[in-house]
Amino acid sequence: YLKPGDRIRHPRPRLFDVAARKTVPVSEALFEDPWSVSDPAWNAELGAFTAEYNRRGHQVLRVLAIGCDGAVRPIVEERSATFIEYANKHFCRFLEGKRELLWMSERDGWNHLYRYDTASGRVLNAVTRGEWVVRSVERVDDATGRVWLTLSGLRPGEDPYYLHHARVNMDGSGFTVLTTGNGTHDIAWSPDRRYLIDSFSRVDQPPVHVLRDGETVFHGVSSHLPL
């Protein structure tokens, strides 16, 4: 474990022109004092490489586009005066066939998803909003423009740590909660994703299993054993 005064790693992107057998210089102005430079990938829609940069101290997080000429520009720049939770509250997903990405952020004080235009670096819209938090992204469907989420703190009067599940359109419309019942929820989808089994429980309540189609309850049983 590095101690104060020890020499630290300084990761940086490198770009090579294989045909010309030369290195293409990459500007390091946006990679200052890095903790990590991760997830390098070619983005066909942008005609550039992308990478995530985490500044030492975890107060600056960027998604950067690196052109074939070595020029670097930010797509996303997240800043915090305190700390960016880059390990457990992080999601970055480029959308297939579009110059867009989904990004997770606590910028408004609550953990939510945002949709970005990767060409301009502009926020197109908040995908989710409200005084509750997105805990994780379960699935993204590029074709339908839908996102499935796990969330907490949505229902007043419930323990804010209980997990619920929902779906929403990428433009922020059509927010639909898929689970009901005072407890923490776990869902299992049928192969065609038409139906789901919603299983929820608390420390003072045995599991309840409900078969759902959207918001329609077909059958529910209470049991100590899973269906």
Side-chain angles (χ1 to χ4, degrees):
Y1 192 90
L2 294 175
K3 307 297 189 298
D6 286 350
R7 188 176 181 181
I8 61 174
R9 294 175 61 251
H10 191 106
R12 56 178 67 85
R14 300 293 298 273
L15 186 60
F16 300 93
D17 186 332
V18 177
R21 302 176 65 85
K22 68 177 183 179
T23 300
V24 178
V26 175
S27 171
E28 295 185 22
L30 295 176
F31 292 96
E32 73 277 14
D33 197 15
W35 166 267
S36 64
V37 178
S38 60
D39 298 327
W42 172 252
N43 188 294
E45 280 71 37
L46 293 175
F49 291 91
T50 59
E52 289 189 43
Y53 157 81
N54 187 348
R55 185 175 181 178
R56 188 168 292 277
H58 313 302
Q59 293 178 319
V60 178
L61 197 62
R62 297 185 183 117
V63 179
L64 298 167
I66 306 167
C68 294
D69 58 356
V72 182
R73 67 173 180 85
I75 299 173
V76 177
E77 180 164 295
E78 194 78 28
R79 290 181 175 268
S80 172
T82 53
F83 183 81
I84 297 172
E85 225 301 24
Y86 64 94
N88 299 309
K89 295 179 180 178
H90 177 263
F91 183 80
C92 179
R93 167 75 145 71
F94 286 87
L95 302 182
E96 295 181 6
K98 299 180 180 179
R99 293 189 174 188
E100 297 179 4
L101 67 76
L102 297 179
W103 177 257
M104 186 178 285
S105 170
E106 292 184 288
R107 64 187 58 184
D108 71 349
W110 304 85
N111 199 46
H112 284 295
L113 280 181
Y114 296 83
R115 183 167 64 109
Y116 271 80
D117 181 328
T118 57
S120 65
R122 181 172 59 91
V123 176
L124 295 173
N125 60 272
V127 179
T128 60
R129 66 178 73 224
E131 295 185 355
W132 49 273
V133 296
V134 173
R135 294 287 295 273
S136 64
V137 177
E138 297 175 9
R139 184 172 184 260
V140 176
D141 190 322
D142 296 89
T144 64
R146 283 182 165 184
V147 185
W148 284 261
L149 312 164
T150 303
L151 52 90
S152 289
L154 181 68
R155 300 190 182 280
E158 285 189 12
D159 187 315
Y161 289 97
Y162 289 163
L163 299 177
H164 281 277
H165 300 260
R167 72 167 180 264
V168 65
N169 297 324
M170 292 181 193
D171 63 3
S173 66
F175 180 74
T176 304
V177 181
L178 301 173
T179 54
T180 60
N182 188 352
T184 196
H185 294 252
D186 185 34
I187 61 176
W189 290 93
S190 62
D192 61 2
R193 293 187 69 86
R194 180 178 176 184
Y195 303 103
L196 63 90
I197 295 176
D198 172 16
S199 302
F200 67 97
S201 64
R202 303 190 304 264
V203 293
D204 61 344
Q205 174 185 289
V208 175
H209 308 283
V210 181
L211 176 63
R212 298 185 183 276
D213 180 355
E215 286 294 295
T216 304
V217 178
F218 281 89
H219 182 62
V221 296
S222 179
S223 170
H224 291 282
L225 298 175
L227 291 178

